[in-house]
Amino acid sequence: LTLVFIGDGASAGSYGYTNSGYSVYEEENERLTESLRTKVSAIKSLSIEIGTEVKNQNKMLSEMDNDFDSAGGLLGATMGRLRTLSRGSQTKLLCYMMLFALFVFFVIYWIIKLR
């Protein structure tokens, strides 16, 4: 950088810099501006992608919430039926459950024996 003293012989438009020094700074400014522009563009596209992903995740969470609500309703209805069933004959229910468990045990034993 070469400074020219503004005095009687210097023009008022030179601001104390020679043309070559000013153009170096101007080129550096342009290069940095372009670099900044590229980084801002990358950040913008990344933020748009993040926004799209957030919208998709919110939609999926909303669908899951609806599924859990319907499953909760189904579970509540099943529990109501189970309570109604448990109020009936205990011995008959116990006999059916024991027979079912015995049947499952023999089926599993038979499958293991065939291997």
Side-chain angles (χ1 to χ4, degrees):
L1 173 66
T2 305
L3 292 176
V4 176
F5 294 105
I6 299 178
D8 294 331
S11 66
S14 69
Y15 298 109
Y17 297 106
T18 62
N19 285 340
S20 64
Y22 181 73
S23 67
V24 169
Y25 286 122
E26 187 175 346
E27 289 172 12
E28 180 71 14
N29 262 353
E30 290 297 322
R31 187 182 63 76
L32 291 174
T33 302
E34 187 59 37
S35 173
L36 185 62
R37 186 175 294 125
T38 304
K39 290 176 184 176
V40 167
S41 174
I43 290 173
K44 179 183 175 185
S45 66
L46 184 64
S47 65
I48 289 172
E49 290 175 13
I50 289 172
T52 303
E53 184 64 26
V54 166
K55 287 178 187 176
N56 291 337
Q57 294 292 327
N58 281 339
K59 182 181 176 186
M60 189 168 61
L61 284 174
S62 176
E63 291 171 359
M64 284 178 62
D65 186 40
N66 292 338
D67 290 344
F68 280 127
D69 283 344
S70 67
L74 182 63
L75 185 61
T78 303
M79 290 301 291
R81 283 189 224 128
L82 187 61
R83 280 190 205 107
T84 303
L85 205 135
S86 69
R87 289 185 192 135
S89 171
Q90 295 288 333
T91 56
K92 193 176 182 182
L93 177 64
L94 187 60
C95 184
Y96 284 140
M97 288 180 74
M98 290 298 283
L99 285 174
F100 178 73
L102 193 60
F103 173 74
V104 169
F105 174 75
F106 279 120
V107 168
I108 291 173
Y109 177 75
W110 183 66
I111 290 173
I112 292 173
K113 189 82 169 172
L114 287 178
R115 285 188 178 185

